[in-house]
Amino acid sequence: MDLTDPGDVTAEDRAFRAEVRGWLEDNLVGEFAALKGLGGSGKDLEAHDERLAWDRHLAAHGWTCIGWPEAHGGRGLSLTQQVIFHEEYARANAPSRVNHLGEELLGPTLIAFGTPEQQRRFLPPIRAVEELWCQGYSEPGAGSDLANVQTKARLDPSTGSGTGAQWVIDGQKVWTSLAQFSDWIFVLARSEPGSERHRGLSFLLVPTKQDGVEIRGIEQLTGGAEFNEVFFTGARTDADLVVGEPGQGWAVAMGLLGFERGVSTLGQQVGFRRELDALLDLARANGSLGDPVVRDRLARADVELEVIRLNALRTLAEEQAPQQASIAKLLWAGWHRTLGELAMLVRGSDALTAGPGYALDEWQRLFLFTRADTIYGGSDEIQRNILAERVLGLPREAR
Ligand SMILES: Cc1cc2nc3c(=O)[nH]c(=O)nc-3n(C[C@H](O)[C@H](O)[C@H](O)COP(=O)(O)OP(=O)(O)OC[C@H]3O[C@@H](n4cnc5c(N)ncnc54)[C@H](O)[C@@H]3O)c2cc1C
């Protein structure tokens, strides 16, 4: 989505776009130039430390947390300018960010639900990319059905430093992305014994670097282990590191999911356009563009990407419409997964084999990783349930 296309942006927005573009041109040079295109879904293990340095460079120049209010260390930018930033970032092929869970999920949640002390303690190191976060929601028996969380937390009054009491956590999380790089994990845990479903849960901030937390990588189809199992065995965190009221964590957890399905995805079709253009180049180069089926599917992908762009524009216009997040997720996730399948068609039958040592090329990796796009962040089926029940008012599914 290039907001300059519709011609409805302000002079201020155009100047902002020029500022972002200029800054990225001037700064994605030297050691950082080598990071272009690195990281992202299925590639998050690539050059992690170097990308961390890049993120800190962004932070030092005020380019992290740009949508946060100024009072909390952000720039307080409008939604339109945030999207412009994400578009220019994607256009510059800048590396994928390492702390998006802290910046885009936990930060806004603390701003909305945290105490002033929690905000003072945790927001500055997120903004400066000094502390990395991961998300401890899913469990073996609680994915789409998140209210089935079984990890337990109890308040132990006899321990702890400042407040004299600590939470003690026991249980297991799974599919925890980037836990191995994280300093902290936000955990949804059952703090009221005997409680059921969404009642009696608490939203806790837990340090990962302690004896009671064990992180085990899970190898993915793409060969790397970006996500993990996280085991809590008597893990501890201070009593005041609960966000919202104890037992009322469901509201906080849902608030966070609203941010997860939010702004950052609006600019991503610029990156998708680059992937589609590269696939088109490959189809030209290897002759598969001569196949009418391939041509037809590439054309369809092009048209559907335009629909995603227009939907993003509509989302900007309707800003707070609740259905937009689900519609956007359904559109981009399905499109991207289909692009992965199309890439295999263009690559032809030799795409069926990996190189020595399970070496995958970018298209094989795209195909394999995009199987996950329609699962994480709320699966397609769950998005359709949300639209059916909460937007269209259809009868609720039997529960
Ligand atoms: C790459 C990746 C990264 C992830 N990172 C994290 C992370 O950092 N932190 C974290 O907490 N979690 C993470 N997850 C987990 C993710 O949130 C869950 O996988 C997702 O919520 C689905 O849960 P599940 O895997 O338990 O599948 P299930 O909930 O068991 O679903 C299985 C299938 O049944 C369907 N289904 C389930 N319920 C319904 C229903 N009511 N109606 C219709 N169909 C239904 C689903 O759509 C799916 O197709 C990640 C997942 C992936 C793939």
Side-chain angles (χ1 to χ4, degrees), residues 153-164:
R154 66 181 168 85
L155 209 49
D156 178 352
S158 64
T159 54
S161 45
T163 56

Side-chain angles (χ1 to χ4, degrees), residues 101 134-146 173-178 220 226-227 260 369 372-382 385 397 399:
L101 292 165
C134 61
Q135 178 180 23
Y137 274 25
S138 303
E139 298 182 2
S144 306
D145 187 15
L146 187 60
K173 297 292 172 179
V174 71
W175 318 126
T176 318
S177 298
L178 307 176
Q220 296 163 217
E226 294 173 359
F227 55 27
E260 179 166 16
F369 191 83
D373 284 345
T374 53
I375 300 172
Y376 65 80
S379 71
D380 272 17
E381 290 79 6
I382 295 307
N385 281 351
E397 173 185 16
R399 285 183 168 85

Side-chain angles (χ1 to χ4, degrees), residues 330-346:
L330 274 173
L331 283 175
W332 76 253
W335 184 88
H336 206 211
R337 190 177 65 175
T338 305
L339 184 76
E341 292 162 3
L342 181 52
M344 293 298 91
L345 189 66
V346 170

